[in-house]
């Protein structure tokens, strides 16, 4: 009797969810193997894809970013020190996030802000923010048209016409 009562209360697991979970694991392993074996192409690295396609820079500008005491981010031209934009607290979230990720890499390497960042518009109309010090870059165009426009407005006027 005690054994019988225990068996009645025993928790059972339906087989259908277990089979579905197993199927997901099998599909994941199959897709991973197919990429490793060359059946499917790997995700391309933007710089390599541009080089293979012969895409050249259409416009470039060096940029410096400064945090002001009131929380404002000031963006200056790297060559002329002309102020290109100011983003008050609560504004320019995308600029703050992308630059923060690049600055973090500089800090890891004990590098300072002496060398400006590069903003490049390519012939295929994509934008890249790159750090010549660390070799890191952010493909700005991958984050949608609104975020792309924030950086596109920092390019020289003649380069924005496209």
């Amino acid at each position: 009797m005690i054994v019988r009562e225990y068996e009645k209360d025993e928790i059972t697991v339906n087989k259908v969810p277990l089979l579905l979970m197993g199927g997901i694991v099998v599909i994941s392993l199959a897709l991973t193997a197919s990429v490793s074996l060359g059946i499917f192409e790997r995700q391309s690295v933007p710089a390599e894809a541009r080089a293979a396609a012969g895409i050249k820079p259409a416009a470039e500008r060096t940029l410096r970013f400064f945090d002001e005491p009131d929380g404002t981010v000031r963006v200056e031209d790297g060559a002329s020190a002309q102020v290109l934009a100011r983003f008050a607290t609560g504004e320019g979230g995308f600029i703050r996030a992308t630059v923060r990720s690049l600055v973090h890499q500089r800090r890891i390497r004990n590098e300072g802000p002496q060398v400006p960042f590069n903003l490049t518009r390519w012939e295929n109309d994509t934008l890249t923010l790159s750090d010549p010090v660390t070799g890191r870059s952010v493909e700005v165009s991958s984050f949608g048209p609104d975020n792309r426009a924030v950086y596109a407005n920092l390019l020289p006027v003649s380069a924005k016409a496209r």
Side-chain angles (χ1 to χ4, degrees):
M1 318 46 121
I2 292 177
V3 173
R4 281 283 190 217
E5 290 177 14
Y6 178 75
E7 288 176 4
K8 288 180 185 177
D9 293 339
E10 190 175 315
I11 298 173
T12 59
V13 178
N14 291 327
K15 292 181 183 178
V16 174
L18 286 176
L19 291 173
L20 291 173
M21 286 187 286
I24 290 172
V25 170
V26 169
I27 290 170
S28 298
L29 291 173
L31 289 173
T32 302
S34 63
V35 169
S36 297
L37 296 173
I39 297 170
F40 292 118
E41 283 190 37
R42 294 176 187 233
Q43 183 74 17
S44 70
V45 176
E48 293 173 6
R50 279 192 294 268
I55 297 171
K56 295 181 175 41
E60 293 182 283
R61 177 174 252 171
T62 56
L63 301 173
R64 292 184 187 272
F65 299 89
F66 299 94
D67 284 323
E68 295 185 340
D70 64 351
T72 300
V73 173
R74 184 179 76 242
V75 184
E76 292 182 359
D77 182 283
S80 68
Q82 171 192 2
V83 176
L84 303 174
R86 289 182 189 275
F87 299 96
T89 304
E91 297 176 350
F94 182 64
I95 290 232
R96 291 172 190 272
T98 53
V99 172
R100 188 177 297 131
S101 69
L102 294 174
V103 168
H104 177 71
Q105 292 299 318
R106 282 189 178 190
R107 286 186 181 153
I108 289 173
R109 293 168 176 79
N110 292 321
E111 297 289 345
Q114 296 83 2
V115 179
F117 296 96
N118 295 323
L119 179 62
T120 307
R121 184 176 55 76
W122 301 93
E123 290 174 333
N124 63 353
D125 213 30
T126 58
L127 291 176
T128 303
L129 179 66
S130 59
D131 183 359
V133 173
T134 64
R136 301 280 182 155
S137 64
V138 176
E139 295 298 322
V140 176
S141 298
S142 300
F143 293 93
D146 293 339
N147 290 323
R148 183 193 179 288
V150 172
Y151 275 102
N153 289 334
L154 298 176
L155 287 169
V157 175
S158 61
K160 287 187 226 177
R162 277 187 131 195

